[in-house]
Amino acid sequence: MAFFRGLTAVSRIRSRMAQEATTLGGVRWLQMQSPSDLDLKSQLQELIPEQQDRLKKLKSEHGKVQLGNITVDMVLGGMRGMIGMLWETSLLDPEEGIRFRGLSIPECQKVLPTAIKGGEPLPEGLLWLLLTGKVPTKEQVDALSKELVTRSSVPGHVYKAIDALPVTAHPMTQFTTGVMALQVESEFQKAYDKGMPKSKFWEPTYEDCLNLIARLPPVASYVYRRIFKDGKTIAADNALDYAANFSHMLGFDDPKMLELMRLYVTIHTDHEGGNVSAHTGHLVGSALSDPYLSFAAALNGLAGPLHGLANQEVLLWIKSVIGETGSDVTTDQLKEYVWKTLKSGKVVPGFGHGVLRKTDPRYTCQREFALKYLPEDPLFQLVSKLYEVVPPILTELGKVKNPWPNVDAHSGVLLNHFGLSEARYYTVLFGVSRSIGIGSQLIWDRALGLPLERPKSVTMEWLENHCKKAAA
Ligand code: AMX
């Protein structure tokens, strides 16, 4: 109810020229008119002191409040359920899924500015939301799109570094190499080497993160065209928004594909802080490694099959089902194939999650996209069938905590439908999107002066002795 009240308020706000504010899920909505209102950095500058005070107050007034007990299971179980990190940009509810600064995916789809009427959100709008906690106006998003264009030029040595790799190298290896080569441009590193007060750390971090976000689409599309299109690159069309330009540079100009790319880049940005890529970016950044170094580390985590590589694995898995059974695969054949995968010691890609306990809303919004634009696509229909077949089997295993599909179960068939069929490339798209979430949090990490991450580890002997003492 509060949400719909918020929506009505937003339409009212948007039609007015005066400054006004209302609240939705803790998110402030502002429509303002001065030129600095179109400048993201100025907006952040205003917000930072108040958030620094908030953190100081939390520390001084509630620093000793307990947040739970750590059990041996948690230590041995990949720290599941252990609260250990501050992550401002998004929060994941096991039942409901992700909320970006308090807004669920359907809410973001309703309120973030779009390129076409009733279309998918522009990722620049989500970047603005993640950084400021405020829903931007279309003017603010357009200004940010333009700013990203001005930051998007990639030095030639980056392409040479990628070219030094065999063309057969995995796209993620080539992409991460490109990010590492971009690192020589780091403003943070230069400023740190010169010397700067801690209170200023966030400013070159902001420059690096925005530059990084802006430069990833040309680098990523270079990798794609190098591997799959004989190295024939396509120049940027800087009149387009961020995601549409990325799609264009990859070689896909169908307006529906542009919409898909806007949706894809928006929903893959952020998934709170504990997932492998986000946590890695944050951890490496805590050593004051610059955003390029931090993000390259994050990408290496994203490249694992239990994390971001799962989107590649899903499409390859679906195609191997069809290869073995033919395109008219029956439910029984599908069940048999799922069991065969499990018996071979592999996981069923695209299903399960470390935190979520329901169907991933990122899956649901992609399904809605498919129902709108490609309901007859045979691979989409197979994905729908998998929704019925896989969860009961995973449940039958008795150990899987969440048998439902995650984001990766759906993305591949959508991309494949519009001709982006090279599954090995998919995690690169995920990586481009992740820069928006990880970059936003890195800026806040430095603005809030968050410390070096250094949790305590123990040995099995330590745990045994501790448990003996506890029993006595
Ligand atoms: N297929 C087969 N087995 C699965 C499974 C799946 N889809 N999901 C979980 N399991 C197994 C685990 O491997 C584990 O087995 P083990 O005890 O023998 O090691 C057991 O069930 C319990 O695991 P869990 O607590 O339910 O999940 P988790 O937190 O350990 O792992 C995840 C989460 C995502 C790695 C796991 O569900 C998985 O491997 N899924 C398939 C890969 C995938 O889709 N990854 C993408 C996730 C989203 C993302 O990061 N992009």
Side-chain angles (χ1 to χ4, degrees):
M1 233 1 239
F3 171 62
F4 290 106
R5 273 200 303 275
L7 266 186
T8 324
V10 166
S11 3
R12 238 187 295 122
I13 285 164
R14 288 200 168 138
S15 65
R16 273 191 213 160
M17 297 302 284
Q19 182 172 327
E20 193 178 333
T22 185
T23 304
L24 164 61
V27 178
R28 274 171 302 166
W29 301 65
L30 292 173
Q31 168 89 41
M32 297 171 285
Q33 297 302 313
S34 82
S36 73
D37 296 337
L38 298 181
D39 177 41
L40 183 54
K41 195 170 180 182
S42 314
Q43 297 281 301
L44 260 181
Q45 206 135 23
E46 279 177 29
L47 289 168
I48 286 171
E50 125 197 353
Q51 295 305 313
Q52 287 171 333
D53 286 349
R54 197 171 157 204
L55 187 79
K56 254 190 229 150
K57 199 166 168 217
L58 257 175
K59 268 193 203 166
S60 63
E61 292 181 13
H62 307 292
K64 302 286 178 275
V65 173
Q66 289 205 340
L67 293 175
N69 291 320
I70 294 171
T71 62
V72 174
D73 269 348
M74 285 170 163
V75 172
L76 301 182
M79 300 192 273
R80 295 288 186 292
M82 210 188 263
I83 299 173
M85 198 190 315
L86 187 72
W87 193 268
E88 283 294 280
T89 49
S90 65
L91 188 66
L92 182 59
D93 181 90
E95 305 292 320
E96 191 193 39
I98 195 68
R99 278 186 179 268
F100 302 116
R101 292 283 188 175
L103 296 184
S104 68
I105 287 178
E107 288 169 358
C108 284
Q109 285 175 304
K110 284 192 177 116
V111 302
L112 288 179
T114 57
I116 58 171
K117 195 163 180 281
E120 300 298 341
L122 288 158
E124 297 90 317
L126 195 76
L127 171 58
W128 190 290
L129 175 68
L130 293 180
L131 269 173
T132 65
K134 296 173 187 172
V135 174
T137 62
K138 180 71 165 68
E139 292 72 29
Q140 286 170 324
V141 166
D142 288 345
L144 181 53
S145 291
K146 286 197 188 107
E147 180 179 348
L148 290 174
V149 166
T150 64
R151 292 173 178 271
S152 65
S153 113
V154 174
H157 77 266
V158 173
Y159 298 123
K160 284 192 191 144
I162 295 171
D163 286 344
L165 291 166
V167 78
T168 49
H170 192 279
M172 280 300 277
T173 307
Q174 301 197 34
F175 183 47
T176 313
T177 300
V179 172
M180 284 303 295
L182 280 171
Q183 188 273 340
V184 298
E185 302 259 301
S186 172
E187 297 291 329
F188 182 87
Q189 197 194 40
K190 279 184 228 150
Y192 191 81
D193 287 350
K194 252 198 232 158
M196 71 180 146
K198 199 174 170 189
S199 60
K200 292 270 176 214
F201 282 2
W202 77 271
E203 293 192 34
T205 303
Y206 176 90
E207 297 304 323
D208 278 355
C209 288
L210 272 270
N211 287 342
L212 175 67
I213 292 166
R215 290 168 193 179
L216 288 181
V219 173
S221 46
Y222 183 83
V223 169
Y224 178 73
R225 304 289 307 179
R226 175 174 189 251
I227 302 175
F228 302 109
K229 304 289 170 190
D230 299 324
K232 290 182 189 129
T233 53
I234 298 172
D237 176 351
N238 290 335
L240 291 171
D241 58 86
Y242 182 81
N245 200 8
F246 182 25
S247 184
H248 166 73
M249 286 186 279
L250 288 168
F252 303 96
D253 291 309
D254 179 338
K256 289 179 194 156
M257 176 65 172
L258 305 189
E259 275 292 276
L260 174 61
M261 198 60 94
R262 291 174 187 124
L263 177 67
Y264 185 102
V265 177
T266 297
I267 63 174
H268 286 78
T269 48
D270 207 28
H271 217 226
E272 74 169 28
N275 66 76
V276 170
S277 54
H279 185 192
T280 306
H282 172 78
L283 168 69
V284 175
S286 83
L288 299 186
S289 305
D290 64 58
Y292 297 93
L293 297 172
S294 307
F295 184 65
L299 283 179
N300 285 321
L302 193 70
L306 296 188
H307 189 21
L309 205 75
N311 60 4
Q312 144 181 334
E313 299 294 295
V314 168
L315 195 73
L316 296 177
W317 188 87
I318 287 176
K319 286 192 170 169
S320 73
V321 176
I322 291 172
E324 201 159 292
T325 61
S327 51
D328 277 341
V329 52
T330 64
T331 302
D332 282 344
Q333 283 173 317
L334 211 46
K335 282 184 188 166
E336 215 173 285
Y337 203 84
V338 172
W339 278 114
K340 192 175 146 191
T341 303
L342 291 170
K343 282 179 187 154
S344 76
K346 288 188 177 161
V347 294
V348 182
F351 286 79
H353 199 271
V355 178
L356 273 170
R357 294 296 173 256
K358 287 271 165 71
T359 297
D360 191 336
R362 298 173 300 175
Y363 173 95
T364 309
C365 70
Q366 292 184 91
R367 177 172 168 76
E368 280 160 10
F369 187 94
L371 287 169
K372 184 170 170 189
Y373 291 114
L374 44 122
E376 305 302 332
D377 183 284
L379 292 192
F380 166 57
Q381 289 176 358
L382 188 51
V383 162
S384 303
K385 217 181 240 181
L386 282 171
Y387 192 95
E388 285 155 33
V389 166
V390 176
I393 296 179
L394 290 183
T395 305
E396 202 179 318
L397 287 181
K399 61 178 183 177
V400 180
K401 296 195 188 67
N402 172 29
W404 301 106
N406 61 55
V407 64
D408 298 316
H410 217 306
S411 49
V413 294
L414 299 179
L415 296 163
N416 183 71
H417 178 85
F418 293 108
L420 210 172
S421 56
E422 298 87 355
R424 272 171 25 106
Y425 184 74
Y426 291 169
T427 311
V428 175
L429 300 176
F430 199 153
V432 171
S433 169
R434 263 293 135 106
S435 69
I436 292 177
I438 292 175
S440 299
Q441 182 59 40
L442 274 176
I443 294 165
W444 276 105
D445 288 349
R446 300 290 76 79
L448 295 172
L450 296 188
L452 177 77
E453 240 184 47
R454 199 346 182 152
K456 176 82 185 92
S457 68
V458 291
T459 61
M460 278 206 270
E461 189 187 7
W462 187 99
L463 283 173
E464 285 157 357
N465 289 337
H466 182 88
C467 294
K468 265 185 221 154
K469 272 191 221 152

